[in-house]
Amino acid sequence: MSLPQVLRNRDFNLYWTGVVLSQIGTRGTVAANLYQVYQLTDSIAYTGLVGAAQAVALLVLSPLGGALADRVDRRRLLQAAQAVAMLVAVVLAWLTLTDRAQAWHVVLSVVLTTAAATFDQPARQALIPALVPKNQIAQAIALLNPSRELAILVGPLLAGLLIAVSGPGLMYVVDAASYGLLVAVLAMLRIPVLQPSAERRTVLGSIVEGARYITHRPLIYNLMALDLSATVFSAYRVLLPAIAVDVLHVGATGYGVLSAAPSAGALLATYFVFRTVERSRRQGRVLLVSTALYGGAALLLAHSPVFGLAVLAAGLLGAFDAMATTIRHAAVQIDTPDELRGRVTAFYQMSSRGGPAIGDVVVGAFAGLVGPVVALTVGAFGPLIVAGSFSLRDNVVRSYTGMVPEDAEVDGAPEPTTELPARQPTPGSS
């Protein structure tokens, strides 16, 4: 069997490798942050402040990060953001290894790291069309997402092992090293420098232009609404420390396994996800089914009486999320011209990354009142209800095909490349 064309691209393969290495450290650190705060405070509500810290940084700084991604060299912006995050990881590692770390130190580190990521993520996503032809964007994202899940699988497992051995400090050391590796990989890429548009707007004007584009793209803003339904209501990761320690009684190592299970599920679904985005002409329907099944898997996790079933449920969450996320992310990149990709991606990440952060706060606070099982049970109905409402009537999401002409190039043309008209009726739930 011959390799897909996207895997014969030297720069994409380098970038792919660098992202995996960086995500190993990043995702391990997220798991360590949650566990460390819970360990220091014994409070689910306080643990939810980790999500609050992410939400504040994302919602405040994302538009600025997107504007910069469309105005400066995206590779240099990525390298600068990674360097800042590396410095934060070094400081947190020192505080933890010397037993000086307090819960507020961890929360502050999350604020700073997420602030750096708000400049990193728009540039990272917008860089993909510079690496591959437009008709390979969906396949590239279909590979990047599960490859990221590989890192998410390894990261929490590594975090669980290192926490069990000597606490979270060593995880932060690994995180710092992974940021340095991605900086080096980015320096090796052969990609064109972004050419700014002839009309040079102010930063605020650029942000407004990106927001205006989204308001005229029903596909994008409806995808954002669908994304939020799953990530806000079914924010299960903030509950995993309590589920592992207080419900299933499996400790730090079990928490590491449970945290890694969604990534394992996403990896096992990789081939099916790749083939779906490559061949299916009903990607909107697949997206809605995957979102509904995500809610069902959250219900199963909430009511799993034994550790093995909980791991299975978490794996299903990862598999259904991988399918839905790949379709959503590819649709946003395909439906956006190159000169606007940084800004549109930044606004989209306010739902794709801000949603889980807000969900951590909401679900964490709710769980502090009613417990993790009831909180996740109630939250699981969010994606089930919203996906169902999109499925009941014709709309831009249900009709989305995801197909791109084989000869399409990355030319930055503003015309939509899906087989949909520019304006479509939107569902009443959006």
Side-chain angles (χ1 to χ4, degrees), residues 27-37 39 96 155-172 241 245 251-256 259:
R27 297 299 176 167
T29 290
V30 169
N33 289 155
L34 290 169
Y35 191 87
Q36 187 176 17
V37 172
Q39 184 182 53
T96 302
L157 281 173
L158 182 60
L161 291 174
L162 293 178
I163 290 170
V165 171
S166 60
L170 287 180
M171 185 63 250
Y172 303 144
V245 175
T253 302
Y255 166 67
S259 296

PDB file of all heavy atoms in Angstrom, residues 27-37 39 96 155-172 241 245 251-256 259:
ATOM      1  N   ARG A  27       0.578  18.220  27.248  1.00  0.00           N
ATOM      2  CA  ARG A  27      -0.549  17.459  27.779  1.00  0.00           C
ATOM      3  C   ARG A  27      -0.198  16.775  29.091  1.00  0.00           C
ATOM      4  O   ARG A  27      -1.044  16.634  29.978  1.00  0.00           O
ATOM      5  CB  ARG A  27      -1.019  16.435  26.750  1.00  0.00           C
ATOM      6  CG  ARG A  27      -1.545  17.084  25.486  1.00  0.00           C
ATOM      7  CD  ARG A  27      -2.739  17.957  25.776  1.00  0.00           C
ATOM      8  NE  ARG A  27      -3.202  18.663  24.581  1.00  0.00           N
ATOM      9  CZ  ARG A  27      -4.361  19.295  24.503  1.00  0.00           C
ATOM     10  NH1 ARG A  27      -5.161  19.328  25.540  1.00  0.00           N
ATOM     11  NH2 ARG A  27      -4.695  19.933  23.391  1.00  0.00           N
ATOM     12  N   GLY A  28       1.041  16.347  29.223  1.00  0.00           N
ATOM     13  CA  GLY A  28       1.464  15.810  30.511  1.00  0.00           C
ATOM     14  C   GLY A  28       1.396  16.865  31.598  1.00  0.00           C
ATOM     15  O   GLY A  28       0.987  16.601  32.736  1.00  0.00           O
ATOM     16  N   THR A  29       1.763  18.089  31.244  1.00  0.00           N
ATOM     17  CA  THR A  29       1.718  19.185  32.205  1.00  0.00           C
ATOM     18  C   THR A  29       0.290  19.540  32.585  1.00  0.00           C
ATOM     19  O   THR A  29       0.010  19.847  33.756  1.00  0.00           O
ATOM     20  CB  THR A  29       2.453  20.416  31.639  1.00  0.00           C
ATOM     21  OG1 THR A  29       3.849  20.133  31.606  1.00  0.00           O
ATOM     22  CG2 THR A  29       2.213  21.649  32.484  1.00  0.00           C
ATOM     23  N   VAL A  30      -0.634  19.507  31.631  1.00  0.00           N
ATOM     24  CA  VAL A  30      -2.042  19.777  31.957  1.00  0.00           C
ATOM     25  C   VAL A  30      -2.543  18.770  32.988  1.00  0.00           C
ATOM     26  O   VAL A  30      -3.188  19.137  33.981  1.00  0.00           O
ATOM     27  CB  VAL A  30      -2.911  19.724  30.689  1.00  0.00           C
ATOM     28  CG1 VAL A  30      -4.398  19.744  31.054  1.00  0.00           C
ATOM     29  CG2 VAL A  30      -2.584  20.894  29.768  1.00  0.00           C
ATOM     30  N   ALA A  31      -2.243  17.485  32.770  1.00  0.00           N
ATOM     31  CA  ALA A  31      -2.654  16.464  33.727  1.00  0.00           C
ATOM     32  C   ALA A  31      -1.986  16.693  35.087  1.00  0.00           C
ATOM     33  O   ALA A  31      -2.627  16.564  36.139  1.00  0.00           O
ATOM     34  CB  ALA A  31      -2.302  15.076  33.190  1.00  0.00           C
ATOM     35  N   ALA A  32      -0.703  17.045  35.068  1.00  0.00           N
ATOM     36  CA  ALA A  32       0.011  17.294  36.317  1.00  0.00           C
ATOM     37  C   ALA A  32      -0.539  18.525  37.037  1.00  0.00           C
ATOM     38  O   ALA A  32      -0.645  18.541  38.267  1.00  0.00           O
ATOM     39  CB  ALA A  32       1.502  17.467  36.039  1.00  0.00           C
ATOM     40  N   ASN A  33      -0.908  19.574  36.266  1.00  0.00           N
ATOM     41  CA  ASN A  33      -1.495  20.769  36.866  1.00  0.00           C
ATOM     42  C   ASN A  33      -2.772  20.432  37.629  1.00  0.00           C
ATOM     43  O   ASN A  33      -2.957  20.850  38.781  1.00  0.00           O
ATOM     44  CB  ASN A  33      -1.828  21.805  35.790  1.00  0.00           C
ATOM     45  CG  ASN A  33      -0.621  22.468  35.176  1.00  0.00           C
ATOM     46  OD1 ASN A  33      -0.671  22.944  34.054  1.00  0.00           O
ATOM     47  ND2 ASN A  33       0.498  22.519  35.882  1.00  0.00           N
ATOM     48  N   LEU A  34      -3.659  19.704  36.983  1.00  0.00           N
ATOM     49  CA  LEU A  34      -4.930  19.345  37.610  1.00  0.00           C
ATOM     50  C   LEU A  34      -4.701  18.519  38.876  1.00  0.00           C
ATOM     51  O   LEU A  34      -5.303  18.777  39.921  1.00  0.00           O
ATOM     52  CB  LEU A  34      -5.808  18.570  36.621  1.00  0.00           C
ATOM     53  CG  LEU A  34      -6.380  19.366  35.438  1.00  0.00           C
ATOM     54  CD1 LEU A  34      -6.988  18.424  34.416  1.00  0.00           C
ATOM     55  CD2 LEU A  34      -7.408  20.377  35.909  1.00  0.00           C
ATOM     56  N   TYR A  35      -3.823  17.537  38.777  1.00  0.00           N
ATOM     57  CA  TYR A  35      -3.569  16.667  39.928  1.00  0.00           C
ATOM     58  C   TYR A  35      -2.898  17.441  41.055  1.00  0.00           C
ATOM     59  O   TYR A  35      -3.245  17.274  42.239  1.00  0.00           O
ATOM     60  CB  TYR A  35      -2.701  15.476  39.513  1.00  0.00           C
ATOM     61  CG  TYR A  35      -2.612  14.412  40.583  1.00  0.00           C
ATOM     62  CD1 TYR A  35      -3.571  13.405  40.650  1.00  0.00           C
ATOM     63  CD2 TYR A  35      -1.597  14.418  41.535  1.00  0.00           C
ATOM     64  CE1 TYR A  35      -3.511  12.432  41.627  1.00  0.00           C
ATOM     65  CE2 TYR A  35      -1.533  13.444  42.523  1.00  0.00           C
ATOM     66  CZ  TYR A  35      -2.494  12.453  42.559  1.00  0.00           C
ATOM     67  OH  TYR A  35      -2.434  11.486  43.536  1.00  0.00           O
ATOM     68  N   GLN A  36      -1.935  18.302  40.727  1.00  0.00           N
ATOM     69  CA  GLN A  36      -1.212  19.047  41.745  1.00  0.00           C
ATOM     70  C   GLN A  36      -2.134  19.996  42.506  1.00  0.00           C
ATOM     71  O   GLN A  36      -2.067  20.094  43.743  1.00  0.00           O
ATOM     72  CB  GLN A  36      -0.056  19.821  41.121  1.00  0.00           C
ATOM     73  CG  GLN A  36       0.858  20.488  42.144  1.00  0.00           C
ATOM     74  CD  GLN A  36       2.048  21.173  41.496  1.00  0.00           C
ATOM     75  OE1 GLN A  36       2.063  21.430  40.291  1.00  0.00           O
ATOM     76  NE2 GLN A  36       3.062  21.472  42.296  1.00  0.00           N
ATOM     77  N   VAL A  37      -3.012  20.693  41.764  1.00  0.00           N
ATOM     78  CA  VAL A  37      -3.946  21.610  42.428  1.00  0.00           C
ATOM     79  C   VAL A  37      -4.905  20.834  43.318  1.00  0.00           C
ATOM     80  O   VAL A  37      -5.200  21.242  44.454  1.00  0.00           O
ATOM     81  CB  VAL A  37      -4.714  22.449  41.394  1.00  0.00           C
ATOM     82  CG1 VAL A  37      -5.826  23.258  42.061  1.00  0.00           C
ATOM     83  CG2 VAL A  37      -3.764  23.391  40.668  1.00  0.00           C
ATOM     84  N   GLN A  39      -4.335  17.967  44.707  1.00  0.00           N
ATOM     85  CA  GLN A  39      -3.532  17.452  45.818  1.00  0.00           C
ATOM     86  C   GLN A  39      -3.276  18.543  46.859  1.00  0.00           C
ATOM     87  O   GLN A  39      -3.325  18.285  48.073  1.00  0.00           O
ATOM     88  CB  GLN A  39      -2.209  16.905  45.281  1.00  0.00           C
ATOM     89  CG  GLN A  39      -1.311  16.240  46.319  1.00  0.00           C
ATOM     90  CD  GLN A  39      -0.005  15.785  45.705  1.00  0.00           C
ATOM     91  OE1 GLN A  39       0.691  16.577  45.068  1.00  0.00           O
ATOM     92  NE2 GLN A  39       0.316  14.508  45.861  1.00  0.00           N
ATOM     93  N   THR A  96       8.292  23.549  42.134  1.00  0.00           N
ATOM     94  CA  THR A  96       7.758  22.253  42.564  1.00  0.00           C
ATOM     95  C   THR A  96       8.848  21.371  43.143  1.00  0.00           C
ATOM     96  O   THR A  96       8.674  20.745  44.212  1.00  0.00           O
ATOM     97  CB  THR A  96       7.065  21.550  41.388  1.00  0.00           C
ATOM     98  OG1 THR A  96       6.022  22.389  40.878  1.00  0.00           O
ATOM     99  CG2 THR A  96       6.472  20.225  41.818  1.00  0.00           C
ATOM    100  N   GLY A 155       1.631  11.739  27.289  1.00  0.00           N
ATOM    101  CA  GLY A 155       1.832  12.773  28.287  1.00  0.00           C
ATOM    102  C   GLY A 155       1.211  12.467  29.636  1.00  0.00           C
ATOM    103  O   GLY A 155       1.911  12.455  30.655  1.00  0.00           O
ATOM    104  N   PRO A 156      -0.125  12.217  29.708  1.00  0.00           N
ATOM    105  CA  PRO A 156      -0.721  11.892  31.000  1.00  0.00           C
ATOM    106  C   PRO A 156      -0.177  10.612  31.632  1.00  0.00           C
ATOM    107  O   PRO A 156      -0.041  10.526  32.850  1.00  0.00           O
ATOM    108  CB  PRO A 156      -2.211  11.755  30.670  1.00  0.00           C
ATOM    109  CG  PRO A 156      -2.404  12.617  29.477  1.00  0.00           C
ATOM    110  CD  PRO A 156      -1.142  12.460  28.678  1.00  0.00           C
ATOM    111  N   LEU A 157       0.124   9.606  30.799  1.00  0.00           N
ATOM    112  CA  LEU A 157       0.729   8.399  31.346  1.00  0.00           C
ATOM    113  C   LEU A 157       2.074   8.718  31.989  1.00  0.00           C
ATOM    114  O   LEU A 157       2.391   8.263  33.097  1.00  0.00           O
ATOM    115  CB  LEU A 157       0.904   7.342  30.245  1.00  0.00           C
ATOM    116  CG  LEU A 157      -0.332   6.549  29.850  1.00  0.00           C
ATOM    117  CD1 LEU A 157      -0.025   5.670  28.645  1.00  0.00           C
ATOM    118  CD2 LEU A 157      -0.809   5.689  31.023  1.00  0.00           C
ATOM    119  N   LEU A 158       2.873   9.504  31.268  1.00  0.00           N
ATOM    120  CA  LEU A 158       4.164   9.913  31.807  1.00  0.00           C
ATOM    121  C   LEU A 158       3.983  10.746  33.070  1.00  0.00           C
ATOM    122  O   LEU A 158       4.702  10.571  34.064  1.00  0.00           O
ATOM    123  CB  LEU A 158       4.929  10.708  30.751  1.00  0.00           C
ATOM    124  CG  LEU A 158       6.332  11.191  31.121  1.00  0.00           C
ATOM    125  CD1 LEU A 158       7.239  10.011  31.438  1.00  0.00           C
ATOM    126  CD2 LEU A 158       6.923  12.026  29.995  1.00  0.00           C
ATOM    127  N   ALA A 159       2.998  11.641  33.049  1.00  0.00           N
ATOM    128  CA  ALA A 159       2.727  12.463  34.229  1.00  0.00           C
ATOM    129  C   ALA A 159       2.337  11.589  35.414  1.00  0.00           C
ATOM    130  O   ALA A 159       2.817  11.796  36.536  1.00  0.00           O
ATOM    131  CB  ALA A 159       1.615  13.464  33.921  1.00  0.00           C
ATOM    132  N   GLY A 160       1.465  10.610  35.168  1.00  0.00           N
ATOM    133  CA  GLY A 160       1.066   9.721  36.256  1.00  0.00           C
ATOM    134  C   GLY A 160       2.236   8.974  36.854  1.00  0.00           C
ATOM    135  O   GLY A 160       2.359   8.845  38.075  1.00  0.00           O
ATOM    136  N   LEU A 161       3.131   8.487  35.987  1.00  0.00           N
ATOM    137  CA  LEU A 161       4.307   7.752  36.479  1.00  0.00           C
ATOM    138  C   LEU A 161       5.245   8.665  37.251  1.00  0.00           C
ATOM    139  O   LEU A 161       5.726   8.313  38.344  1.00  0.00           O
ATOM    140  CB  LEU A 161       5.042   7.103  35.300  1.00  0.00           C
ATOM    141  CG  LEU A 161       4.308   5.953  34.597  1.00  0.00           C
ATOM    142  CD1 LEU A 161       5.078   5.509  33.359  1.00  0.00           C
ATOM    143  CD2 LEU A 161       4.139   4.775  35.553  1.00  0.00           C
ATOM    144  N   LEU A 162       5.513   9.852  36.714  1.00  0.00           N
ATOM    145  CA  LEU A 162       6.435  10.770  37.377  1.00  0.00           C
ATOM    146  C   LEU A 162       5.855  11.303  38.688  1.00  0.00           C
ATOM    147  O   LEU A 162       6.589  11.492  39.668  1.00  0.00           O
ATOM    148  CB  LEU A 162       6.783  11.929  36.442  1.00  0.00           C
ATOM    149  CG  LEU A 162       7.602  11.558  35.201  1.00  0.00           C
ATOM    150  CD1 LEU A 162       7.844  12.790  34.336  1.00  0.00           C
ATOM    151  CD2 LEU A 162       8.918  10.911  35.593  1.00  0.00           C
ATOM    152  N   ILE A 163       4.547  11.544  38.711  1.00  0.00           N
ATOM    153  CA  ILE A 163       3.915  11.973  39.959  1.00  0.00           C
ATOM    154  C   ILE A 163       4.026  10.882  41.012  1.00  0.00           C
ATOM    155  O   ILE A 163       4.327  11.150  42.189  1.00  0.00           O
ATOM    156  CB  ILE A 163       2.434  12.342  39.717  1.00  0.00           C
ATOM    157  CG1 ILE A 163       2.328  13.631  38.894  1.00  0.00           C
ATOM    158  CG2 ILE A 163       1.681  12.521  41.038  1.00  0.00           C
ATOM    159  CD1 ILE A 163       0.914  13.932  38.406  1.00  0.00           C
ATOM    160  N   ALA A 164       3.803   9.623  40.600  1.00  0.00           N
ATOM    161  CA  ALA A 164       3.895   8.510  41.549  1.00  0.00           C
ATOM    162  C   ALA A 164       5.312   8.341  42.081  1.00  0.00           C
ATOM    163  O   ALA A 164       5.516   7.965  43.244  1.00  0.00           O
ATOM    164  CB  ALA A 164       3.426   7.215  40.882  1.00  0.00           C
ATOM    165  N   VAL A 165       6.323   8.647  41.254  1.00  0.00           N
ATOM    166  CA  VAL A 165       7.720   8.470  41.660  1.00  0.00           C
ATOM    167  C   VAL A 165       8.202   9.623  42.530  1.00  0.00           C
ATOM    168  O   VAL A 165       8.751   9.422  43.620  1.00  0.00           O
ATOM    169  CB  VAL A 165       8.631   8.318  40.418  1.00  0.00           C
ATOM    170  CG1 VAL A 165      10.094   8.355  40.823  1.00  0.00           C
ATOM    171  CG2 VAL A 165       8.311   7.022  39.697  1.00  0.00           C
ATOM    172  N   SER A 166       8.002  10.883  42.039  1.00  0.00           N
ATOM    173  CA  SER A 166       8.599  12.004  42.773  1.00  0.00           C
ATOM    174  C   SER A 166       7.791  13.294  42.690  1.00  0.00           C
ATOM    175  O   SER A 166       8.318  14.370  42.948  1.00  0.00           O
ATOM    176  CB  SER A 166      10.008  12.269  42.236  1.00  0.00           C
ATOM    177  OG  SER A 166       9.965  12.597  40.863  1.00  0.00           O
ATOM    178  N   GLY A 167       6.522  13.212  42.292  1.00  0.00           N
ATOM    179  CA  GLY A 167       5.721  14.416  42.198  1.00  0.00           C
ATOM    180  C   GLY A 167       5.760  15.012  40.800  1.00  0.00           C
ATOM    181  O   GLY A 167       6.481  14.537  39.914  1.00  0.00           O
ATOM    182  N   PRO A 168       5.010  16.098  40.571  1.00  0.00           N
ATOM    183  CA  PRO A 168       4.863  16.655  39.219  1.00  0.00           C
ATOM    184  C   PRO A 168       6.051  17.461  38.713  1.00  0.00           C
ATOM    185  O   PRO A 168       6.070  17.843  37.547  1.00  0.00           O
ATOM    186  CB  PRO A 168       3.622  17.550  39.346  1.00  0.00           C
ATOM    187  CG  PRO A 168       3.522  17.878  40.780  1.00  0.00           C
ATOM    188  CD  PRO A 168       4.124  16.753  41.543  1.00  0.00           C
ATOM    189  N   GLY A 169       7.062  17.732  39.533  1.00  0.00           N
ATOM    190  CA  GLY A 169       8.169  18.586  39.106  1.00  0.00           C
ATOM    191  C   GLY A 169       8.896  18.083  37.877  1.00  0.00           C
ATOM    192  O   GLY A 169       9.216  18.862  36.966  1.00  0.00           O
ATOM    193  N   LEU A 170       9.160  16.774  37.812  1.00  0.00           N
ATOM    194  CA  LEU A 170       9.885  16.228  36.664  1.00  0.00           C
ATOM    195  C   LEU A 170       9.072  16.336  35.375  1.00  0.00           C
ATOM    196  O   LEU A 170       9.640  16.475  34.289  1.00  0.00           O
ATOM    197  CB  LEU A 170      10.266  14.768  36.931  1.00  0.00           C
ATOM    198  CG  LEU A 170      11.387  14.538  37.942  1.00  0.00           C
ATOM    199  CD1 LEU A 170      11.657  13.045  38.102  1.00  0.00           C
ATOM    200  CD2 LEU A 170      12.656  15.269  37.531  1.00  0.00           C
ATOM    201  N   MET A 171       7.749  16.287  35.504  1.00  0.00           N
ATOM    202  CA  MET A 171       6.904  16.456  34.321  1.00  0.00           C
ATOM    203  C   MET A 171       7.095  17.840  33.730  1.00  0.00           C
ATOM    204  O   MET A 171       7.134  18.016  32.513  1.00  0.00           O
ATOM    205  CB  MET A 171       5.429  16.246  34.706  1.00  0.00           C
ATOM    206  CG  MET A 171       4.472  16.276  33.516  1.00  0.00           C
ATOM    207  SD  MET A 171       4.724  14.963  32.309  1.00  0.00           S
ATOM    208  CE  MET A 171       5.365  15.900  30.928  1.00  0.00           C
ATOM    209  N   TYR A 172       7.263  18.817  34.582  1.00  0.00           N
ATOM    210  CA  TYR A 172       7.474  20.178  34.095  1.00  0.00           C
ATOM    211  C   TYR A 172       8.843  20.330  33.429  1.00  0.00           C
ATOM    212  O   TYR A 172       8.994  21.126  32.498  1.00  0.00           O
ATOM    213  CB  TYR A 172       7.313  21.176  35.240  1.00  0.00           C
ATOM    214  CG  TYR A 172       5.962  21.098  35.929  1.00  0.00           C
ATOM    215  CD1 TYR A 172       5.847  21.298  37.300  1.00  0.00           C
ATOM    216  CD2 TYR A 172       4.807  20.797  35.211  1.00  0.00           C
ATOM    217  CE1 TYR A 172       4.611  21.223  37.941  1.00  0.00           C
ATOM    218  CE2 TYR A 172       3.576  20.703  35.834  1.00  0.00           C
ATOM    219  CZ  TYR A 172       3.475  20.921  37.206  1.00  0.00           C
ATOM    220  OH  TYR A 172       2.256  20.844  37.827  1.00  0.00           O
ATOM    221  N   PRO A 241      -9.603  13.612  38.228  1.00  0.00           N
ATOM    222  CA  PRO A 241      -8.928  13.371  39.511  1.00  0.00           C
ATOM    223  C   PRO A 241      -9.880  12.858  40.584  1.00  0.00           C
ATOM    224  O   PRO A 241      -9.559  11.912  41.317  1.00  0.00           O
ATOM    225  CB  PRO A 241      -8.347  14.743  39.867  1.00  0.00           C
ATOM    226  CG  PRO A 241      -8.175  15.427  38.560  1.00  0.00           C
ATOM    227  CD  PRO A 241      -9.338  14.973  37.726  1.00  0.00           C
ATOM    228  N   VAL A 245      -9.688   9.156  42.195  1.00  0.00           N
ATOM    229  CA  VAL A 245      -9.298   9.049  43.611  1.00  0.00           C
ATOM    230  C   VAL A 245     -10.476   8.699  44.510  1.00  0.00           C
ATOM    231  O   VAL A 245     -10.374   7.813  45.375  1.00  0.00           O
ATOM    232  CB  VAL A 245      -8.644  10.375  44.075  1.00  0.00           C
ATOM    233  CG1 VAL A 245      -8.352  10.338  45.573  1.00  0.00           C
ATOM    234  CG2 VAL A 245      -7.366  10.631  43.299  1.00  0.00           C
ATOM    235  N   GLY A 251      -6.016   5.905  42.553  1.00  0.00           N
ATOM    236  CA  GLY A 251      -4.817   6.680  42.834  1.00  0.00           C
ATOM    237  C   GLY A 251      -4.219   7.375  41.628  1.00  0.00           C
ATOM    238  O   GLY A 251      -4.842   7.483  40.566  1.00  0.00           O
ATOM    239  N   ALA A 252      -2.950   7.829  41.806  1.00  0.00           N
ATOM    240  CA  ALA A 252      -2.282   8.629  40.778  1.00  0.00           C
ATOM    241  C   ALA A 252      -2.028   7.842  39.504  1.00  0.00           C
ATOM    242  O   ALA A 252      -2.223   8.357  38.394  1.00  0.00           O
ATOM    243  CB  ALA A 252      -0.965   9.172  41.328  1.00  0.00           C
ATOM    244  N   THR A 253      -1.603   6.592  39.631  1.00  0.00           N
ATOM    245  CA  THR A 253      -1.320   5.799  38.432  1.00  0.00           C
ATOM    246  C   THR A 253      -2.602   5.530  37.650  1.00  0.00           C
ATOM    247  O   THR A 253      -2.637   5.635  36.422  1.00  0.00           O
ATOM    248  CB  THR A 253      -0.647   4.471  38.806  1.00  0.00           C
ATOM    249  OG1 THR A 253       0.556   4.740  39.535  1.00  0.00           O
ATOM    250  CG2 THR A 253      -0.304   3.662  37.567  1.00  0.00           C
ATOM    251  N   GLY A 254      -3.671   5.203  38.363  1.00  0.00           N
ATOM    252  CA  GLY A 254      -4.959   4.999  37.703  1.00  0.00           C
ATOM    253  C   GLY A 254      -5.462   6.269  37.051  1.00  0.00           C
ATOM    254  O   GLY A 254      -6.061   6.227  35.968  1.00  0.00           O
ATOM    255  N   TYR A 255      -5.205   7.404  37.699  1.00  0.00           N
ATOM    256  CA  TYR A 255      -5.582   8.689  37.102  1.00  0.00           C
ATOM    257  C   TYR A 255      -4.842   8.908  35.791  1.00  0.00           C
ATOM    258  O   TYR A 255      -5.417   9.374  34.812  1.00  0.00           O
ATOM    259  CB  TYR A 255      -5.276   9.822  38.084  1.00  0.00           C
ATOM    260  CG  TYR A 255      -5.306  11.197  37.465  1.00  0.00           C
ATOM    261  CD1 TYR A 255      -6.498  11.745  36.988  1.00  0.00           C
ATOM    262  CD2 TYR A 255      -4.151  11.950  37.335  1.00  0.00           C
ATOM    263  CE1 TYR A 255      -6.533  13.004  36.410  1.00  0.00           C
ATOM    264  CE2 TYR A 255      -4.173  13.218  36.759  1.00  0.00           C
ATOM    265  CZ  TYR A 255      -5.362  13.736  36.300  1.00  0.00           C
ATOM    266  OH  TYR A 255      -5.387  14.981  35.722  1.00  0.00           O
ATOM    267  N   GLY A 256      -3.555   8.561  35.768  1.00  0.00           N
ATOM    268  CA  GLY A 256      -2.787   8.696  34.533  1.00  0.00           C
ATOM    269  C   GLY A 256      -3.359   7.852  33.414  1.00  0.00           C
ATOM    270  O   GLY A 256      -3.467   8.302  32.272  1.00  0.00           O
ATOM    271  N   SER A 259      -6.708   9.380  32.314  1.00  0.00           N
ATOM    272  CA  SER A 259      -6.485  10.603  31.545  1.00  0.00           C
ATOM    273  C   SER A 259      -5.997  10.303  30.135  1.00  0.00           C
ATOM    274  O   SER A 259      -6.272  11.056  29.199  1.00  0.00           O
ATOM    275  CB  SER A 259      -5.456  11.491  32.256  1.00  0.00           C
ATOM    276  OG  SER A 259      -5.929  11.918  33.507  1.00  0.00           O
TER     277      SER A 259
END
